Amino acid sequence: MDQEGDRFPLHTAARLGQLSIAESLLRADPKLSQRKDDDGRYPIHWAASSNSYDIVLLLANQSSFDPDVQDASGWTPLMISASVPDSEPVLKLLIQRGADINEKNSTGNTALHFVASKKNLDVARLLIENKASTRVRNARGQYAIHRAAAVGADPIISLLLRHMSPLNPTDSEGYTPLHHAIAEGHGETAVTLLKEGADFTIKTSEDALAIDLAPNAEIRRYIIQGAEREGIDLSA
């Protein structure tokens, strides 16, 4: 075992998914679950990161368990789990144990912001079914829909809009979701937002319309033609 493993054996067991070792360590010293490592993380953060359901369950059964404990960056176990592939069982367990779905980290992001950025529709549905709000801004003034638009996550955009997300909010730089979609070159997403009624006349703090941010002439033409097919004149 390396030096960190010697100092934080339960953290290491959680990170590596070593259930029997974790059980032995906790039997010997239950307070190990409450120790922070040099990254400001508790064992539950590493268990969530490794998507180890059995170790998450073991830690959740400790009397001292806090489902919303934050690491040095403000990440909760649920935020970490939401960012890991195939994590639905662990997410459901954390939610059952009282995790706050709308908790923010140090940059103001919620689990839904992270899921939107990763285009994970199934987890987005799970969070929203358990009362994740689509109307939470992060430190940059962005809602989850801004992040979904920036990565071209059309199905998540549709899901967010069905659950009370605003369509035309501006972030701290005056960008709407439409601005983000076009700036990142997601022409299809831009057309999707326009079909939903996105306001293409809003300007950023630097006086730029969304269409002005198209990275090249081809994407600009695609968006203008797609809008025209929907009866939308972007020059109006």
Side-chain angles (χ1 to χ4, degrees):
M1 188 175 290
D2 58 23
Q3 185 176 4
E4 182 176 287
D6 291 335
R7 293 171 56 218
F8 303 104
L10 184 57
H11 293 72
T12 300
R15 178 169 55 85
L16 299 178
Q18 298 169 327
L19 178 62
S20 60
I21 293 175
E23 289 174 330
S24 296
L25 289 167
L26 283 171
R27 277 196 298 270
D29 186 0
K31 291 183 179 179
L32 287 176
S33 66
Q34 302 171 56
R35 286 191 67 197
K36 279 186 183 182
D37 65 11
D38 293 337
D39 294 316
R41 284 186 161 189
Y42 293 88
I44 186 63
H45 294 115
W46 288 111
S49 178
S50 65
N51 202 25
S52 177
Y53 179 90
D54 290 337
I55 295 182
V56 171
L57 178 61
L58 175 69
L59 294 168
N61 285 335
Q62 301 299 302
S63 60
S64 60
F65 179 65
D66 176 2
D68 297 320
V69 65
Q70 296 184 329
D71 67 12
S73 297
W75 284 60
T76 66
L78 184 134
M79 291 174 191
I80 294 171
S81 181
S83 301
V84 173
D86 305 316
S87 62
E88 286 90 338
V90 169
L91 276 172
K92 290 177 181 177
L93 173 59
L94 292 169
I95 291 168
Q96 289 168 358
R97 296 304 175 95
D100 182 354
I101 283 186
N102 295 307
E103 185 71 58
K104 294 182 178 183
N105 75 349
S106 58
T107 57
N109 288 298
T110 67
L112 192 57
H113 284 89
F114 301 127
V115 170
S117 293
K118 290 181 176 292
K119 305 172 74 168
N120 195 328
L121 181 61
D122 290 338
V123 173
R125 284 198 188 106
L126 174 61
L127 294 176
I128 288 174
E129 286 169 1
N130 286 277
K131 304 189 184 308
S133 174
T134 63
R135 304 180 71 89
V136 178
R137 290 184 186 269
N138 64 16
R140 296 176 62 190
Q142 295 177 349
Y143 293 94
I145 194 170
H146 286 102
R147 307 313 313 137
V151 297
D154 291 29
I156 292 183
I157 288 171
S158 297
L159 175 69
L160 295 171
L161 291 174
R162 289 198 304 271
H163 290 86
M164 304 297 291
S165 172
L167 176 60
N168 298 302
T170 55
D171 63 18
S172 59
E173 296 180 335
Y175 279 53
T176 65
L178 182 63
H179 283 90
H180 280 284
I182 295 178
E184 296 298 332
H186 300 299
E188 187 173 342
T189 300
V191 174
T192 295
L193 289 164
L194 289 165
K195 287 167 64 175
E196 292 284 354
D199 186 347
F200 55 87
T201 68
I202 296 173
K203 294 184 177 183
T204 69
S205 55
E206 296 185 348
D207 209 34
L209 294 169
I211 194 62
D212 296 334
L213 302 178
N216 56 56
E218 182 180 354
I219 291 173
R220 180 185 177 93
R221 184 167 55 251
Y222 177 92
I223 295 167
I224 290 173
Q225 291 175 348
E228 287 175 349
R229 287 192 295 272
E230 300 299 326
I232 301 168
D233 182 3
L234 295 186
S235 66

